[in-house]
Amino acid sequence: FAVQLAKRSGATVTAICHSRNEAIARSLGADEVAPYDRGAPAGTYDGIFDAAAAWTFARARRHLGGRGKYVTTLPTPNAILST
């Protein structure tokens, strides 16, 4: 429900997913879709919710704005310690 909750709070949502899931992301309410299999996502974001636990914080930090937040569903010691 992350996309729906973000939309409800007024956020513009960019879903980063495989291109085969683009239609699903849009059906959930994503405003933009950035398929990671077509290249790295560009831009900065106020928040990143990593539902697939695919990124470390160090990787996500490059895409976060000044006070941006990163949330992952499966924190690992490596993801937490790599700052």
Side-chain angles (χ1 to χ4, degrees):
F1 299 103
V3 173
Q4 294 91 339
L5 291 172
K7 292 295 295 178
R8 178 82 173 143
S9 69
T12 300
V13 175
T14 300
I16 300 171
C17 59
H18 194 280
S19 59
R20 70 176 169 255
N21 296 322
E22 188 170 343
I24 294 169
R26 289 192 189 281
S27 75
L28 292 172
D31 299 295
E32 305 280 336
V33 176
Y36 60 76
D37 56 312
R38 294 186 189 150
T44 58
Y45 303 96
D46 294 327
I48 295 175
F49 177 73
D50 185 1
W55 284 12
T56 63
F57 175 70
R59 182 176 180 194
R61 184 172 49 187
R62 295 189 299 257
H63 296 283
L64 290 171
R67 296 180 57 101
K69 306 292 184 219
Y70 171 71
V71 177
T72 182
T73 57
L74 187 65
T76 63
N78 186 42
I80 294 168
L81 297 175
S82 63
T83 57

